[in-house]
Amino acid sequence: MFMVRLRSSILLMAVALLTIISGGYVLFGTLLAVSLIGLGELYRAAGVWTEKDRGLAVTGFLLSGAYYGLLLLGLESYSMIYLVFAVIVLLSVYVFTFPRYRSEQVMAAFFGIVYVSVMLSYIYQTRNLPDGAFLVWLIFLCSWGCDTCAYCVGMLIGKHKMSPVLSPKKSVEGAVGGVVGAAVLGAVYAAAVGKYLQAENQVFVYALICGVGALISMVGDLAASAIKRNHEIKDYGTLIPGHGGILDRFDSVIFTAPVIYFLASVFVGL
């Protein structure tokens, strides 16, 4: 199993390198595909997409595609209006097909659009910022870096359970190690690429951004686990051997992407 996970991780990193370095339409298309796959995984788990009825799920897919269309046209400032529009469309489907769907299915359909498609899109939006070619990597440094550091520290000295019911293997010591480790990674990264950056005091700023992002990434990880527990599933999918589905691998990235975007906008002075 370890070798399977390792091969999948190497392949994921290669894809990430190719798409993020390329940016533009390559990154846009990749994120659109990832978002739709992840959305499908969530819809199956939440009962929005069933073998007997996929109408509401298809509406969610179309609305997610429309959101990415806004981004492609540079109209992200209209995101709030779009979300209102999405609610109206989903409720229209709910009303005019009543009693075909339950209210909780409609709410899950809207939640999925925001949780998966909108939040993941901030990888693309961060990449498009000034210095975005460097800033975008903080999303992965603070999420996957925190996860690796937390695992190592937890294995070595972890004693106090952070969330004994939801995730009994995670410890407070591991969480602290994950945050500190992510902050160190951010500082090292800034020092390595500092000559290409516009921001001042970038070592401190990048360390701060990664540290805060790491805290948020743990919430994202636990949130995805809580959803799986509620719906009694082990993994969201089987797309990535050894890891599960898209949401199993990107659960923390989903949370860190918008956080890094906003923190970079504030602290890097973009």
Side-chain angles (χ1 to χ4, degrees):
M1 177 59 72
F2 173 77
M3 291 304 299
V4 173
R5 287 178 62 88
L6 180 61
R7 286 194 295 268
S8 296
S9 297
I10 293 172
L11 180 60
L12 281 173
M13 186 55 65
V15 172
L17 284 168
L18 174 63
T19 57
I20 293 174
I21 291 174
S22 299
Y25 293 120
V26 174
L27 179 59
F28 177 87
T30 302
L31 281 175
L32 174 58
V34 168
S35 294
L36 293 178
I37 295 170
L39 190 61
E41 292 175 351
L42 183 66
Y43 279 175
R44 289 189 190 92
V48 177
W49 182 348
T50 66
E51 291 299 323
K52 294 182 179 180
D53 197 327
R54 302 178 181 180
L56 189 59
V58 170
T59 304
F61 291 140
L62 292 174
L63 287 169
S64 292
Y67 172 75
Y68 271 88
L70 284 181
L71 296 184
L72 188 62
L73 295 173
L75 300 174
E76 55 270 12
S77 59
Y78 292 92
S79 295
M80 185 57 68
I81 297 175
Y82 158 80
L83 291 176
V84 173
F85 171 76
V87 171
I88 293 173
V89 171
L90 289 170
L91 287 176
S92 296
V93 173
Y94 175 53
V95 167
F96 292 112
T97 61
F98 191 86
R100 184 174 175 179
Y101 303 110
R102 302 186 307 275
S103 58
E104 55 265 32
Q105 288 178 293
V106 178
M107 288 185 281
F110 179 72
F111 170 75
I113 293 170
V114 177
Y115 176 60
V116 181
S117 301
V118 173
M119 293 178 75
L120 273 178
S121 75
Y122 279 95
I123 298 175
Y124 176 74
Q125 296 185 63
T126 302
R127 177 63 175 81
N128 288 342
L129 292 172
D131 279 349
F134 300 100
L135 286 167
V136 69
W137 293 106
L138 298 184
I139 296 171
F140 302 95
L141 274 178
C142 70
S143 55
W144 293 347
C146 173
D147 185 50
T148 301
C149 293
Y151 175 80
C152 294
V153 174
M155 288 292 291
L156 291 173
I157 61 173
K159 294 181 179 180
H160 301 86
K161 302 299 182 182
M162 184 173 68
S163 182
V165 176
L166 182 57
S167 187
K169 292 184 179 181
K170 288 182 170 58
S171 65
V172 174
E173 292 84 357
V176 173
V179 173
V180 173
V184 171
L185 287 172
V188 171
Y189 174 68
V193 301
K195 65 180 180 179
Y196 303 106
L197 304 177
Q198 301 177 21
E200 298 179 359
N201 301 317
Q202 59 263 20
V203 172
F204 171 77
V205 170
Y206 276 46
L208 176 64
I209 291 175
C210 271
V212 175
L215 281 171
I216 302 299
S217 76
M218 289 186 285
V219 178
D221 185 17
L222 291 171
S225 296
I227 294 172
K228 288 191 288 187
R229 289 289 185 91
N230 281 159
H231 294 283
E232 299 179 345
I233 58 174
K234 183 179 183 296
D235 294 316
Y236 283 103
T238 58
L239 180 65
I240 307 172
H243 293 274
I246 288 292
L247 296 184
D248 294 295
R249 180 67 275 186
F250 287 84
D251 49 7
S252 56
V253 171
I254 285 173
F255 270 55
T256 57
V259 170
I260 296 303
Y261 175 85
F262 290 118
L263 289 176
S265 299
V266 172
F267 292 110
V268 183
L270 301 172

